[in-house]
Amino acid sequence: MSRIVKEYMGLQKRLQTPEFSWISFLAPVDDDDLSEWVCRFQGPSESPFEGFELGLNITIDLEKYPISGGPRVLFEPRTVAHPNVKWDTGEICLDLLKDAWTPIYTLLDVVGAIRDLLADPGLDSPLDLDIAQIYDADYEAYVQIVRYRLEEARLARV
């Protein structure tokens, strides 16, 4: 558990730098339990997600992290339309979260990789086949669907 404590302490300082100004919030739900985290971040510029704040739920197995397991990260369900995100659950298809995980990565690396994925989907292994086909066939239609669903989710929160 000491790694996550150290990471948490360093994270607070790094989030105050301009490099991470796109992250509005990244912290445990409860300071006494470092296994459940929440992240809020701005969608990447020049992508359909620009101008929207997105939410991640992060679960860390404190017994395994980071040596034999990375965090489990999900978007808030039914908010993100993307080829590599399962709409109903928020599950994210990203190698870093599965086979490519190594202890060198941190939570900031994970959030950054997810943000990069939003701007540059991996169409070779989509979780949402329909949105992947739309992305491939008609990018402008994809943009409209993404923005419509994000706006719908934003209005539901208000």
Side-chain angles (χ1 to χ4, degrees):
M1 172 151 44
S2 63
R3 159 71 186 265
I4 194 64
V5 171
K6 288 178 188 174
E7 198 171 319
Y8 181 35
M9 301 308 273
L11 178 78
Q12 298 312 309
K13 292 176 186 169
R14 291 185 71 193
L15 287 177
Q16 295 174 13
T17 66
E19 178 185 2
F20 295 103
S21 62
W22 51 272
I23 297 178
S24 9
F25 184 80
L26 176 57
V29 173
D30 177 353
D31 283 339
D32 293 329
D33 178 9
L34 298 181
S35 67
E36 297 293 328
W37 292 59
V38 175
C39 180
R40 305 288 306 164
F41 68 96
Q42 296 299 313
S45 59
E46 299 181 28
S47 81
F49 301 91
E50 182 175 17
F52 289 92
E53 186 174 71
L54 304 159
L56 294 171
N57 298 313
I58 303 168
T59 304
I60 299 170
D61 182 334
L62 299 175
E63 299 296 319
K64 294 181 179 180
Y65 182 85
I67 303 302
S68 60
R72 176 169 161 75
V73 184
L74 304 170
F75 278 106
E76 294 169 349
R78 303 184 64 78
T79 59
V80 175
H82 187 276
N84 304 110
V85 177
K86 190 176 277 189
W87 172 251
D88 287 329
T89 64
E91 178 186 350
I92 303 164
C93 180
L94 180 65
D95 286 345
L96 176 66
L97 297 174
K98 296 177 176 52
D99 301 333
W101 176 261
T102 70
I104 195 167
Y105 294 119
T106 67
L107 291 179
L108 280 176
D109 294 322
V110 170
V111 174
I114 290 169
R115 186 171 187 254
D116 291 346
L117 181 69
L118 292 176
D120 188 20
L123 296 179
D124 54 329
S125 61
L127 281 178
D128 187 326
L129 295 174
D130 293 332
I131 205 77
Q133 288 175 338
I134 294 168
Y135 178 96
D136 199 35
D138 186 349
Y139 183 75
E140 286 307 313
Y142 165 76
V143 169
Q144 294 303 314
I145 291 168
V146 167
R147 296 187 70 74
Y148 174 79
R149 288 186 171 175
L150 288 167
E151 189 61 42
E152 210 175 33
R154 180 169 35 195
L155 291 173
R157 282 193 298 262
V158 175

